[in-house]
Each structure stands twice: as C-alpha cells, then as structure tokens.
C-alpha cells in the first residue's frame, strides 16, 4: 500500500485493512513510512484500506484492491513451507473451500535440540513469528505428527498458552497409509481435529511439513472434493 503523507503533520500513522467496506474487524498497523507491506492475505479476496492519524480524527479516502487467486503460501519468519491446506480451492461441485481454517508447514521449535536419533532440530520461533501464528492466522491447535524420538524436551506448543498441543505419531517407521488397522485408527483423530477448525484453526506439521503432513493434506483435500491437479500442488 502506498499513500501520500507529504502534507500531513504526523510522525506515525495507522493503516486499516479489512474485507468489509465498513472496516468491521479491520486489522490495524502502525507505521511512519509512506508505504506498508501486508503479508498473508486471503487469496482472490477484495480488501479495503485507509490511513488515519493516531487519534483517528484525520483519515484518507478508502482504497481497495483484490488479491491474486493463487495458492496461499504464508510468510512467518524462519518457519518454512507454510500454506493454507485447502482454503480457496474449488470443489468438484463448484463450491469454494473456506480459507483460514487449516494450515500445514514445518515444525515449530522454541529452542535448538538433538532428538533421540541424534538429528538436529533448530529454534525457529521468536515473538514476531508467534504473533503471526496466533494473531494473524488465529491458530488455536498445534497438531504435531512427529514421532516420539523427534520431539523436543517439552510437550506443549511453542506457540503459547492460547494454543492447544496434540502429538499423534500416526506413521511409525514412515509407513504412512497402509491397510494396517492400527494405522487407520491413528489417523482418525487427525481428521476429527478439522471438525472444530471454525473455532480452533489448525496448524498441522511433522518435521519438514512435506511427507507425513503432505499425505494427510492430500487426503483432506480429496475428501473435500478438490481436483487431482490441485491436490498435487
């Protein structure tokens, strides 16, 4: 967003961004610059924006823009491979899956550690990154698919007390989906966690957020009616 502040007698400004023209539930950012970059917006969505003084007595005209309708990747500090799992994709019956309910990505760690297999895991959470997960994305469930040997020395979410933590080692020895009845029973709670995503948005991850996480994401998208092409993205 770019705006003209040449005639304003202000050192700081508030940038209001909302999906509603009346700015209901707007997100507000403070800046001293004549531009502001906003990350992690919904795909294919119209946004409204304005700039006001800190006291709200002076306001710019309302501007608008529409984001590109492409796969929604998320920028969150050192945490990699984050995306909205199914949000914004079309289903075979022509509907669009709601965005912002389920995300997938890399593990999230508060500290460096060496796991039970002598593999290194690295700290990738800081205050700014946690704020993106908890406040910008609204994550309330940290669903961890790592095996017992991969886990950090603490058994809670590094995202903070507002986020519930669940560990489910559903893929022992990287067997993934098989006809083994025990494996099928293990994956059932994972899909049940998405049933409450409207009030408890989910962050699903394993170590790198690719194989185990990717398998569950593929199945979830298929159950919701995504095309095979979109499932392979």
């Amino acid at each position: 967003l770019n705006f003209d502040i040449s005639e304003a007698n202000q050192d700081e400004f508030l940038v209001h961004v909302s999906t509603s023209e009346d700015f209901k539930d707007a997100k507000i950012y403070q800046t001293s610059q004549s531009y502001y970059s906003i990350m992690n917006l919904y795909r294919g969505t119209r946004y409204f924006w304005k700039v006001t003084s800190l006291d709200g007595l002076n306001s710019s005209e309302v501007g608008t823009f529409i984001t590109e309708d492409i796969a929604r990747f998320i920028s969150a500090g050192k945490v990699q491979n984050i995306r909205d799992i199914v949000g914004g994709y079309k289903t075979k019956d022509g509907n669009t899956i709601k965005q912002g309910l389920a995300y997938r990505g890399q593990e999230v760690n508060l500290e460096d550690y060496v796991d039970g297999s002598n593999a290194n895991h690295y700290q990738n959470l800081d205050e700014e990154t946690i704020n993106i997960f908890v406040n910008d994305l609204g994550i309330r469930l940290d669903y961890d698919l790592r095996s017992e040997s991969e886990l950090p020395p603490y058994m809670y979410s590094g995202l903070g007390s507002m986020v519930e933590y669940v560990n489910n080692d559903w893929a022992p020895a990287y067997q993934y989906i098989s006809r083994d009845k025990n494996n099928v029973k293990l994956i059932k709670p994972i899909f049940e966690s998405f049933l409450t995503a409207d009030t408890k948005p989910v962050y699903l991850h394993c170590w790198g957020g690719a194989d185990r996480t990717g398998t569950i994401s593929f199945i979830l998208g298929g159950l919701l009616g995504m095309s095979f092409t979109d499932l392979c993205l």
Side-chain angles (χ1 to χ4, degrees), residues 41-52:
L41 299 174
Y42 285 160
R43 57 184 285 186
T45 301
R46 178 177 292 279
Y47 282 88
F48 299 89
W49 66 278
K50 64 181 179 181
V51 181
T52 70

Side-chain angles (χ1 to χ4, degrees), residues 16-17 58 63-64 71 73 80 104 108 140 160 173:
H16 305 247
V17 182
N58 298 290
T64 186
F73 283 84
Q80 302 297 309
R104 58 175 286 189
V108 285
R140 292 298 180 267

Side-chain angles (χ1 to χ4, degrees), residues 119-172:
N120 291 310
H121 298 252
Y122 299 100
Q123 182 271 338
N124 59 4
L125 289 177
D126 55 24
E127 184 176 350
E128 182 178 354
T129 302
I130 292 172
N131 180 64
I132 292 172
F133 274 95
V134 176
N135 296 319
D136 290 352
L137 302 182
I139 300 300
R140 292 298 180 267
L141 176 58
D142 177 352
Y143 209 105
D144 188 348
L145 301 179
R146 290 175 294 183
S147 64
E148 183 178 357
S149 65
E150 298 171 284
L151 295 176
Y154 52 86
M155 285 296 291
Y156 55 84
S157 176
L159 299 175
S161 59
M162 293 180 65
V163 180
E164 180 184 350
Y165 176 77
V166 175
N167 173 248
N168 185 338
D169 178 15
W170 71 276

Side-chain angles (χ1 to χ4, degrees), residues 39-223:
M39 308 297 291
N40 306 329
L41 299 174
Y42 285 160
R43 57 184 285 186
T45 301
R46 178 177 292 279
Y47 282 88
F48 299 89
W49 66 278
K50 64 181 179 181
V51 181
T52 70
S53 57
L54 292 181
D55 58 16
L57 297 179
N58 298 290
S59 176
S60 70
E61 294 183 356
V62 174
T64 186
F65 62 88
I66 299 176
T67 56
E68 291 186 272
D69 192 10
I70 56 178
R72 185 177 175 231
F73 283 84
I74 302 298
S75 176
K78 294 180 181 179
V79 184
Q80 302 297 309
N81 198 25
I82 308 174
R83 70 195 85 168
D84 195 319
I85 298 179
V86 293
Y89 288 99
K90 300 293 184 182
T91 64
K92 292 180 180 179
D93 57 10
N95 292 321
T96 301
I97 303 173
K98 188 174 180 179
Q99 299 182 61
L101 300 184
Y103 298 87
R104 58 175 286 189
Q106 180 192 28
E107 64 181 355
V108 285
N109 300 317
L110 282 173
E111 58 188 57
D112 294 348
Y113 67 95
V114 178
D115 70 20
S117 302
N118 290 319
N120 291 310
H121 298 252
Y122 299 100
Q123 182 271 338
N124 59 4
L125 289 177
D126 55 24
E127 184 176 350
E128 182 178 354
T129 302
I130 292 172
N131 180 64
I132 292 172
F133 274 95
V134 176
N135 296 319
D136 290 352
L137 302 182
I139 300 300
R140 292 298 180 267
L141 176 58
D142 177 352
Y143 209 105
D144 188 348
L145 301 179
R146 290 175 294 183
S147 64
E148 183 178 357
S149 65
E150 298 171 284
L151 295 176
Y154 52 86
M155 285 296 291
Y156 55 84
S157 176
L159 299 175
S161 59
M162 293 180 65
V163 180
E164 180 184 350
Y165 176 77
V166 175
N167 173 248
N168 185 338
D169 178 15
W170 71 276
Y174 292 86
Q175 292 173 359
Y176 303 108
I177 297 298
S178 72
R179 295 185 179 180
D180 182 272
K181 292 182 179 180
N182 289 326
N183 206 336
V184 173
K185 289 179 181 179
L186 284 173
I187 70 170
K188 181 180 177 182
I190 303 175
F191 292 101
E192 289 177 338
S193 71
F194 296 118
L195 297 176
T196 56
D198 263 327
T199 56
K200 191 183 291 185
V202 181
Y203 180 61
L204 180 74
H205 68 89
C206 47
W207 189 341
D211 299 323
R212 288 165 286 184
T213 300
T215 300
I216 295 298
S217 300
F218 187 94
I219 297 171
L220 176 64
L223 291 171

Side-chain angles (χ1 to χ4, degrees), residues 24-38:
K24 181 180 180 181
D25 300 324
K27 291 186 177 180
I28 302 175
Y29 310 89
Q30 188 167 334
T31 181
S32 60
Q33 304 298 318
S34 60
Y35 61 88
Y36 197 85
S37 297
I38 301 174

